[in-house]
Amino acid sequence: MAPEGLTAWRVYLYAVSFIALIVAIVGSVNLIAVLIEVFIYPAPQPYPVPQYYPDLPGSVAQVMVGLVVWGYHSRLLRKER
């Protein structure tokens, strides 16, 4: 039977879940900004040049890592209940 109340382990799980969710949200916002830049408001080019978007890999990584860490810790929280 799980102990009642807020233990240090549960505080850790809630804190890491919250931080991971914030990281995923920030990454999603950055990813949406890159997608808007690519598809809606592309920069005018005088001649065709391969485009490189330096924010794209970091944004995708933030979303993926944030969601994986959040999912793992939220699953642990559900087991605690």
Side-chain angles (χ1 to χ4, degrees):
M1 179 177 277
E4 297 297 322
L6 200 59
T7 62
W9 175 246
R10 289 180 116 185
V11 169
Y12 163 77
L13 291 176
Y14 279 117
V16 172
S17 295
F18 178 73
I19 291 169
L21 192 58
I22 295 298
V23 167
I25 290 170
V26 168
S28 298
V29 169
N30 291 338
L31 186 60
I32 290 170
V34 169
L35 293 176
I36 288 173
E37 180 183 344
V38 170
F39 294 112
I40 297 176
Y41 297 113
Q45 299 291 329
Y47 52 90
V49 175
Q51 295 293 322
Y52 174 68
Y53 300 97
D55 295 336
L56 185 62
S59 299
V60 172
Q62 279 183 322
V63 171
M64 290 175 54
V65 170
L67 289 177
V68 167
V69 171
W70 173 76
Y72 176 75
H73 284 83
S74 64
R75 186 174 302 139
L76 288 177
L77 272 169
R78 274 188 250 129
K79 285 182 183 178
E80 289 286 318
R81 290 182 188 181

